[in-house]
Amino acid sequence: ISQEVEGGVPFSQALASHPKLFSAFYVSMVKSGEASGTLSESLNYLAEHLEREYDLVSKIQGAMIYPLLIVAVVIGVLVMMMFFVIPNMSKVLTETGQELPLVTKVVIWLSDSLRSWGWLALLVVIAGLVFLSRYFKTASGKKIKDKYILRLPAVGSFLKMIYLSRFAENLSTLIGGGLPIVNALEITGEIVGNNVYQTIVFQVMDEVRKGEKISQVLARYPNEFPPLLSQMVTIGEKTGTLDESLMNVVEFYRKEVDRAIGSLLSILEPLMVILLGGIVAGLMGAILLPLYKMTGV
């Protein structure tokens, strides 16, 4: 980049030659700063934006650590019991010759099946995950995934807040950096992260080109863009402070995301512990029940 700039290439154009490192959003902000003579301010906007994005991603990743750890423990306990504990116990039960309860027969059958065909089940699961991962990267797969993920209970509303926050912050940063609204909407649509929201943002962009206001178009999609956001955009358009109004929306949704993460963790932690205890207790109960009957307890 240094060599290209010394050779007379604009800074933004030099950055654009490295798309994996510098996104279209980043390049556009730098280009806007170059055109308006406020490159330092544009870079400050970018620094603050990247810091907020990093903070949001870190919070989400941190919230997922505990549930994923519990899931890993559950899988480990299940594997240990199915492959080591239950086979040894089933030998003892079989030798008694008594009629086993249905739940015990099911658990023993699952253990035998996993030991015999577990490798095949693992291959099927891995193949399925690889297929879904690749399919969701295609245009049609991403469209389906983005559509239905917003309909998931609890998760859908949480993701909507994240997309709304991202939409408002990107648009505010681009407008504050001096980019024309149509260009800002186009870039925001490309990086909002969800096909449903991308389609709506591009629709907004087309209508704005025809002379409509952003708030008027957003009001047509109350499920995706709540009245709060469209009303704040209306205020910003009327007062000429759209970037500030959008940033107020960002602050609101960031607080909502923080609350949602806290609520989700407060619910998930006891649920996961109960799930782990319930699975272990159920498996052990299925095995110990015949022994209790045999001893007359």
Side-chain angles (χ1 to χ4, degrees), residues 82-296:
M82 288 293 184
F83 281 84
F84 301 104
V85 178
I86 293 176
N88 293 328
M89 296 294 292
S90 63
K91 291 179 182 177
V92 176
L93 296 175
T94 305
E95 291 173 358
T96 62
Q98 66 171 319
E99 181 65 23
L100 300 177
L102 178 60
V103 65
T104 305
K105 291 180 180 179
V106 171
V107 170
I108 293 174
W109 174 80
L110 283 173
S111 175
D112 292 340
S113 299
L114 281 175
R115 285 191 297 140
S116 301
W117 302 101
W119 62 272
L120 181 59
L122 183 62
L123 286 178
V124 170
V125 170
I126 293 174
L129 291 174
V130 170
F131 170 77
L132 288 175
S133 175
R134 292 186 177 180
Y135 176 67
F136 286 148
K137 289 179 181 178
T138 64
S140 59
K142 190 176 187 307
K143 187 175 181 180
I144 292 173
K145 181 195 72 172
D146 289 349
K147 178 181 178 181
Y148 287 100
I149 199 172
L150 294 175
R151 298 181 182 180
L152 293 174
V155 176
S157 59
F158 177 71
L159 290 175
K160 282 181 181 180
M161 288 190 289
I162 292 176
Y163 294 133
L164 288 170
S165 176
R166 186 175 294 167
F167 163 80
E169 182 172 358
N170 288 323
L171 188 57
S172 172
T173 305
L174 290 167
I175 292 173
L179 232 66
I181 289 181
V182 172
N183 292 349
L185 285 168
E186 182 178 10
I187 296 168
T188 300
E190 290 174 354
I191 60 179
V192 71
N194 183 279
N195 190 267
V196 174
Y197 280 91
Q198 183 184 67
T199 303
I200 296 173
V201 174
F202 285 160
Q203 178 68 29
V204 174
M205 180 186 68
D206 293 336
E207 296 298 326
V208 168
R209 277 200 183 108
K210 298 174 184 177
E212 281 205 62
K213 293 182 178 180
I214 297 175
S215 56
Q216 293 175 335
V217 187
L218 293 181
R220 301 173 192 168
Y221 304 94
N223 291 330
E224 289 79 16
F225 291 89
L228 167 71
L229 193 146
S230 56
Q231 288 166 8
M232 289 297 292
V233 171
T234 301
I235 294 170
E237 289 174 328
K238 288 181 178 179
T239 58
T241 57
L242 182 56
D243 56 332
E244 295 178 13
S245 296
L246 285 170
M247 197 51 68
N248 289 333
V249 173
V250 172
E251 293 301 321
F252 170 77
Y253 280 114
R254 285 197 176 279
K255 291 177 182 176
E256 287 297 301
V257 168
D258 287 343
R259 291 194 195 99
I261 290 175
S263 301
L264 189 64
L265 282 178
S266 64
I267 295 172
L268 271 180
E269 289 181 8
L271 278 180
M272 298 297 268
V273 171
I274 292 171
L275 175 66
L276 175 59
I279 290 174
V280 174
L283 290 175
M284 291 306 298
I287 296 300
L288 296 177
L289 183 61
L291 295 177
Y292 284 134
K293 287 184 177 180
M294 182 176 64
T295 57

